[in-house]
Amino acid sequence: MSTVSVQAATSNQYGITIDGNFSDWSDKTMTSLKETGDDYNIKKACLLADNDNVYFYLNMSPEHGGGYSTLQPSGYELKVGNKTYWLTWQGVSGLSDGQTKSFTIYAYESDSTGGNVNKTLTQAQAVVHRYKTANGHNDIMEASIPLSELKVSGTTSQSISISNTNLGTQTLTTTGGSTGPILISSVGFLMAIAGVVTYQKRKKVSRLAHE
């Protein structure tokens, strides 16, 4: 069993500490990430944000502990408002079973000028742990990314999202200061809108009946 010392980040309004102990994510809403037609390699992820940081959790194989269970290091598209960043996890290869390891995050801002942010985020906190399982191993990670390093000011209302087509077709979306993630789905969005319209109509009819 190999363990690397991890420096814990300061706690925040969600009670999340980036230290390789993932129990502080147990009460957070998780979203399944999967490719269409692949019901085996299902990942669990969560995205949160406040005025200072973006928080991300990813469990590669919570159900089977095998298959596509090694942490995907690249291809993460993070959007904050109208800004788009491509994130890469650096230093996550070569993990041993039972090892907890801090790693760095490289961010590249995608825009027509070549990117205002193009560097390793020195203030970001990120940790991965590899568990030995009956089917091989499973990697779980957590990270906090300061908005200041992305050159973004406090964001209580901007939409924030993350996706990775290597992991699945889903996109996780939240807003700064929110209490949980929203899974973007065109069908779900239309159903939600229809529900609001139906409710408003029923409320209007009810009001007229009592006038």
Side-chain angles (χ1 to χ4, degrees):
M1 179 176 179
S2 175
T3 302
V4 176
S5 178
V6 174
Q7 182 178 1
T10 304
S11 296
N12 47 76
Q13 70 180 71
Y14 302 108
I16 295 171
T17 303
I18 308 301
D19 58 359
N21 180 351
F22 306 103
S23 60
D24 43 13
W25 292 90
S26 61
D27 61 340
K28 309 301 186 291
T29 302
M30 294 289 157
T31 296
S32 296
L33 304 179
K34 62 185 286 290
E35 293 285 352
T36 302
D38 185 353
D39 294 323
Y40 184 89
N41 293 298
I42 300 175
K43 298 84 177 166
K44 294 292 184 181
C46 181
L47 177 70
L48 298 169
D50 56 26
N51 289 342
D52 300 312
N53 300 288
V54 175
Y55 308 94
F56 181 61
Y57 167 95
L58 176 63
N59 187 330
M60 289 296 295
S61 183
E63 296 183 14
H64 304 289
Y68 184 10
S69 60
T70 298
L71 181 61
Q72 172 64 33
S74 60
Y76 296 88
E77 184 179 19
L78 175 68
K79 294 185 177 182
V80 181
N82 61 356
K83 294 178 177 289
T84 299
Y85 308 87
W86 291 95
L87 306 180
T88 300
W89 313 148
Q90 298 178 311
V92 297
S93 61
L95 280 173
S96 303
D97 291 343
Q99 183 179 4
T100 300
K101 183 180 182 182
S102 294
F103 62 90
T104 58
I105 299 175
Y106 191 90
Y108 170 76
E109 182 182 346
S110 176
D111 62 19
S112 59
T113 65
N116 293 320
V117 175
N118 188 7
K119 65 173 185 175
T120 297
L121 304 178
T122 58
Q123 298 176 46
Q125 297 277 340
V127 173
V128 59
H129 181 81
R130 174 165 293 179
Y131 295 89
K132 180 176 177 57
T133 70
N135 294 320
H137 68 261
N138 181 38
D139 291 351
I140 305 178
M141 64 146 290
E142 60 180 350
S144 67
I145 302 173
L147 291 167
S148 59
E149 280 211 280
L150 300 177
K151 299 183 179 179
V152 175
S153 57
T155 174
T156 57
S157 59
Q158 289 190 89
S159 175
I160 301 173
S161 68
I162 193 168
S163 62
N164 190 325
T165 56
N166 297 296
L167 301 176
T169 58
Q170 297 77 19
T171 296
L172 291 170
T173 298
T174 188
T175 56
S178 72
T179 57
I182 301 170
L183 176 61
I184 294 299
S185 166
S186 57
V187 175
F189 179 75
L190 291 173
M191 289 176 66
I193 293 297
V196 171
V197 172
T198 300
Y199 173 78
Q200 289 178 337
K201 286 182 177 178
R202 286 178 178 172
K203 188 174 181 181
K204 183 177 181 180
V205 171
S206 177
R207 238 189 355 255
L208 291 172
H210 287 86
E211 290 179 354

